[in-house]
Amino acid sequence: MTDNLGPKSNMRDLMAAAAYVLLHWGWLEEEVRARIQAVEPDRDMSDGSSLWVHWREVEPKVCLRVRSGIQALVDIRNCLAHGLCGAKADPRSDDEPHVICRTASGERAIKMSELESVADALHLARNDVRDTPY
């Protein structure tokens, strides 16, 4: 009798995991944007400043709490958004599928399981932003 754990992850699965991180980041930013506009409806956010700078000015305590909880996730998101340069996902290999990002200090490999954990954590952060009273 052989153990059948199902099909191994492939490149499509890996790319989906990377896309989920970026999509969850976008949803988190939309939640932050909505919150800023709810607290300060007339705020002009077209001045080129980061959304996070605006939020820190409008709700410093909430922003600091959420941002400090996701700082490691920010680094991974930034690697994906600004440095994604490769991927390895061979279903015949025992190596975990991973993406490769170029950073200022060289290359960084981010495993698929880490991408999935980051997407889940960003989802929780979004819920936290949405559910925190004004």
Side-chain angles (χ1 to χ4, degrees), residues 9 13-14 16-21 24 73 76 80 96-97 110-123:
S9 298
D13 300 322
L14 176 60
Y20 279 132
V21 169
H24 278 289
L73 311 179
I76 290 174
L80 290 175
E96 182 175 358
I110 305 171
K111 294 180 179 180
M112 186 168 158
S113 59
E114 188 174 6
L115 293 171
E116 292 168 338
S117 294
V118 168
D120 291 345
L122 287 170
H123 173 74

Side-chain angles (χ1 to χ4, degrees), residues 16-62:
Y20 279 132
V21 169
L22 296 174
L23 186 55
H24 278 289
W25 181 265
W27 285 335
L28 172 60
E29 284 193 343
E30 284 303 302
E31 203 65 55
V32 167
R33 183 173 281 103
R35 195 168 175 93
I36 292 167
Q37 291 176 339
V39 172
E40 199 173 298
D42 295 329
R43 179 172 274 270
D44 178 15
M45 292 189 287
S46 65
D47 66 356
S49 296
S50 160
L51 177 69
W52 301 94
V53 168
H54 286 284
W55 193 29
R56 188 173 54 237
E57 291 171 354
V58 172
E59 289 188 302
K61 290 179 184 176
V62 179

